Amino acid sequence: MFDIVLYEPEIPANSGNIIRLCANTGASLHLIEPLGFDMDDKKLRRAGLDYHEWANVCVYGSLADFVDQRKPPRLFALSTKGRKVYSEVGFEPKDAFLFGPESRGLPASVLTTMERDKLLYLPMQPDSRSLNLSNTVSIVLYEAWRQQSFVGALIK
């Protein structure tokens, strides 16, 4: 339903957690090279547990390759430099969410190509730098899925 795009992810445990998240929500995970780990990294496997087989994970040589191949109808970037709070957006099926590398976030070369209303942020305390990548992905993905009434989920 949704696409999670990690631009040059660096920490295998974060990506493993996100693989598990995607397997449990039905989202697809797209990794933009270079990766800071090998896909068979022990830490990636450990964090993802046995969810790798249930997740749709694709690797691309560049962000342009992802856009050309997947053709997302709307691409949102999450950044501390965002202009709009993520919860103020009405998300739609097939939206894609772009997240930057853990140590530096999305580069200016990517941010300047984004439409201003597609640059989103999560509110934080004034002196905070950023949230953990896998936590940020979880917050945004669950909000988008909630807006779709958790379609496909087992609701008890």
Side-chain angles (χ1 to χ4, degrees):
M1 168 172 283
F2 296 107
D3 289 322
I4 301 300
V5 185
L6 303 184
Y7 182 88
E8 301 180 2
E10 300 166 326
I11 301 174
N14 277 334
S15 294
N17 287 336
I18 295 167
I19 287 171
R20 186 175 181 179
L21 173 70
C22 288
N24 279 288
T25 60
S28 295
L29 179 59
H30 307 274
L31 305 174
I32 309 301
E33 294 179 315
L35 308 180
F37 50 84
D38 293 322
M39 289 301 290
D40 61 354
D41 188 293
K42 279 185 187 179
K43 292 177 184 171
L44 178 76
R45 295 279 174 204
R46 186 177 307 123
L49 297 173
D50 59 348
Y51 289 87
H52 295 261
E53 64 189 77
W54 303 108
N56 179 24
V57 180
C58 300
V59 179
Y60 301 84
S62 69
L63 181 57
D65 290 345
F66 163 76
V67 171
D68 288 345
Q69 292 175 39
R70 192 70 176 178
K71 298 181 183 4
R74 298 193 311 171
L75 179 62
F76 293 93
L78 278 292
S79 171
T80 57
K81 296 171 180 66
R83 299 290 183 208
K84 191 173 196 175
V85 176
Y86 79 101
S87 58
E88 295 176 350
V89 177
F91 297 116
E92 300 172 6
K94 299 186 182 178
D95 280 347
F97 304 101
L98 175 64
F99 301 85
E102 293 90 337
S103 67
R104 60 191 186 280
L106 289 167
S109 61
V110 171
L111 292 174
T112 57
T113 66
M114 300 293 302
E115 296 174 39
R116 201 170 160 87
D117 67 332
K118 303 285 191 309
L119 290 175
L120 309 180
Y121 72 95
L122 273 67
M124 295 183 290
Q125 294 294 308
D127 295 327
S128 296
R129 291 185 325 169
S130 66
L131 290 171
N132 172 275
L133 176 62
S134 60
N135 291 339
T136 302
V137 173
S138 296
I139 291 166
V140 173
L141 180 55
Y142 264 87
E143 172 59 17
W145 198 23
R146 181 195 66 78
Q147 290 182 18
Q148 303 306 310
S149 301
F150 297 108
V151 67
L154 172 63
I155 306 290
K156 298 180 182 183

